[in-house]
Amino acid sequence: MTNKSILDELLSAGRGMASKGEDYAAGKLGVGGAQTERGAMLKGAAGGALAAGALTLLLGSGAGRGVLKLGGLAALGGLAYNAYKNYADKKQDSGAPLQIEAKEEHQIVNLSDAAAEKRSRALLAAMISAAKADGHIDDSERQIIETRMRGLEGLDSAFVKAELAKPVNPQEIAALADGPQAASEIYALSALVVEVDHPAERLYLNDLAAALKLDPELAREIESATAKV
């Protein structure tokens, strides 16, 4: 499997997990036993974001549930592009110049195989980084996540392990964007992962938007779109 197909599976399968709830999630993680035991494992594996399919990071207080409802890469690319279009229309109506221009053909699902792989790797890194933004994934939780990833066919577990171990660095994530549409997709996915009202995660999104050089109005438009997922 490619990075693109793995990421698409994660985002697509999350919708089923969101609708079926904790029992389904526990089954995906292979967690059985008493409710207290399952709750502890689920909480330990949570963190905001990589969800469903073979790789499932379950969510604790509600952060990241937008990711579970998203439905796939096509939905992510469309959400980011439509948010940009709304932003651009408002700019045009006000007579203000556009600082960036996102293009429909640059959505991840419209890219060539090589470009889609590069974008998918950037989005995976962005998802992991955003999931760590509140600082609550400790060593034991990281070990659970890594253990669950080892059996995933096609997943570069060494890459994911390295991303989990890195300090949170929104500037490094922003550097992975190769254009306006990529920047919008990275920001949209990050906004879907975090709890935007959590102070640390709010700060992370603000720093990411600045590093991506997103117009604050565009960042707000993207967040408005993700809040409706």
Side-chain angles (χ1 to χ4, degrees):
M1 295 176 71
T2 63
N3 287 324
K4 180 182 176 183
S5 62
I6 289 169
L7 183 57
D8 195 43
E9 179 184 349
L10 292 172
L11 298 179
S12 300
R15 177 174 289 178
M17 190 176 80
S19 65
K20 295 177 184 178
E22 186 176 293
D23 288 341
Y24 177 79
K28 285 291 184 183
L29 279 170
V31 180
Q35 181 68 26
T36 53
E37 176 188 348
R38 286 173 29 153
M41 178 65 82
L42 292 174
K43 183 178 180 181
L50 291 178
L55 175 59
T56 307
L57 296 186
L58 299 178
L59 310 174
S61 62
R65 286 179 182 168
V67 170
L68 300 184
K69 299 174 184 177
L70 186 61
L73 285 175
L76 174 65
L79 182 153
Y81 181 71
N82 288 332
Y84 167 79
K85 286 290 291 178
N86 289 338
Y87 156 80
D89 288 346
K90 291 175 183 177
K91 282 287 188 181
Q92 185 176 18
D93 290 344
S94 68
L98 288 175
Q99 295 181 4
I100 63 169
E101 183 180 358
K103 297 182 178 181
E104 187 171 7
E105 59 265 31
H106 293 165
Q107 292 182 43
I108 184 170
V109 293
N110 297 329
L111 299 177
S112 67
D113 290 345
E117 281 297 284
K118 180 181 178 183
R119 178 78 58 80
S120 297
R121 197 173 180 90
L123 289 169
L124 279 168
M127 184 185 285
I128 294 168
S129 181
K132 300 186 299 178
D134 66 357
H136 85 279
I137 299 181
D138 60 22
D139 289 343
S140 62
E141 292 166 343
R142 188 178 296 116
Q143 185 176 10
I144 291 171
I145 295 167
E146 292 170 4
T147 298
R148 295 298 168 186
M149 290 190 304
R150 289 185 191 128
L152 296 181
E153 179 184 355
L155 180 67
D156 186 349
S157 57
F159 163 72
V160 178
K161 181 177 181 178
E163 293 299 318
L164 281 166
K166 286 180 180 178
V168 173
N169 188 336
Q171 290 75 27
E172 183 176 311
I173 296 300
L176 300 175
D178 57 7
Q181 177 64 24
S184 293
E185 289 178 4
I186 285 172
Y187 192 75
L189 185 56
S190 300
L192 285 163
V193 167
V194 303
E195 185 76 58
V196 295
D197 294 329
H198 186 287
E201 294 174 287
R202 178 71 265 170
L203 179 60
Y204 176 83
L205 274 187
N206 291 346
D207 288 347
L208 180 61
L212 288 166
K213 296 181 171 59
L214 292 183
D215 185 326
E217 292 180 28
L218 175 55
R220 286 194 293 271
E221 195 69 47
I222 293 172
E223 287 189 40
S224 176
T226 60
K228 297 173 183 175
V229 171

